[in-house]
Amino acid sequence: DSGVTQTPKHLITATGQRVTLRCSPRSGDLSVYWYQQSLDQGLQFLIQYYNGEERAKGNILERFSAQQFPDLHSELNLSSLELGDSALYFCASSVYAGGPGEQFFGPGTRLTVL
Amino acid sequence: TQLLEQSPQFLSIQEGENLTVYCNSSSVFSSLQWYRQEPGEGPVLLVTVVTGGEVKKLKRLTFQFGDARKDSSLHITAAQPGDTGLYLCAGLGSNYKLTFGKGTLLTVNP
């Protein structure tokens, strides 16, 4: 158990819909990272928040957005869903704002878009 | 865009065999990490290598960072079924973003 929690574990929805994925970081960690993992693309970095502020942006689509709240939990919002958005979405947390420090990954949310 | 190529993509071996997986890039990374991911779980960090030429050992696992900090290898001695999993390398760029390879799926058969 990494100490990072993600809900829900599974999510099945239809094209065009909007969903929200939730992540609670490890106690004391200020950074939250979101990743998307698919068979063809592998694990792709989407976005990082540090203490409520956006810190770094990766391959995140404009249809996707995220935020980190004062209690440090984070939500990833996916809208106008397409079949190709079906993937595993991982949240990770870290003490650090950046650098080679360890990131602790949650168990992931499996999103299926039908 | 920094890319990491991992090889082989799939590896199936018998218990007790040795193996090496590779992680290569044309880009320089400030550090490189290796993770193992088991089905239904998130990746777990195994090691971080920072210095070119660095070698780190973790029990039966040996990790090496290339002199030019563009490539890395993971060698497992006397593999066991518990080593089964997806091995991912990830490079940390100057922008502090982690770039992951697509992974090597290792199966160790009893």
Side-chain angles (χ1 to χ4, degrees), chain B residues 33-107:
Chain B
Q33 298 180 330
W34 284 92
Y35 290 80
R36 186 172 78 196
Q37 184 178 12
E38 298 188 23
E41 298 181 12
V44 176
L45 181 67
L46 296 174
V47 77
T48 300
V49 284
V50 180
T51 307
E54 183 176 1
V55 176
K56 278 193 174 177
K57 292 193 175 183
L58 186 66
K59 296 182 181 179
R60 295 175 294 100
L61 278 60
T62 302
F63 304 86
Q64 186 162 6
F65 201 13
D67 291 341
R69 291 187 288 134
K70 292 182 179 181
D71 54 84
S72 181
S73 63
L74 158 60
H75 182 80
I76 301 179
T77 304
Q80 299 177 1
D83 296 326
T84 293
L86 179 67
Y87 289 82
L88 296 160
C89 66
L92 189 70
S94 56
N95 55 8
Y96 293 130
K97 295 178 191 175
L98 271 181
T99 299
F100 280 84
K102 291 187 179 180
T104 293
L105 186 60
L106 172 65
T107 303

Side-chain angles (χ1 to χ4, degrees), chain A residues 18 36 46-47 49 54 57-66 76-82 85:
Chain A
R18 172 189 169 95
Q36 179 193 59
L46 296 178
I47 197 165
Y49 279 82
E54 183 182 305
K57 222 168 185 176
N59 302 323
I60 188 165
L61 299 173
E62 284 192 13
R63 300 183 286 109
F64 296 0
S65 65
L76 178 67
N77 300 295
L78 316 176
S79 61
S80 303
L81 285 167
E82 302 175 359
D85 298 327

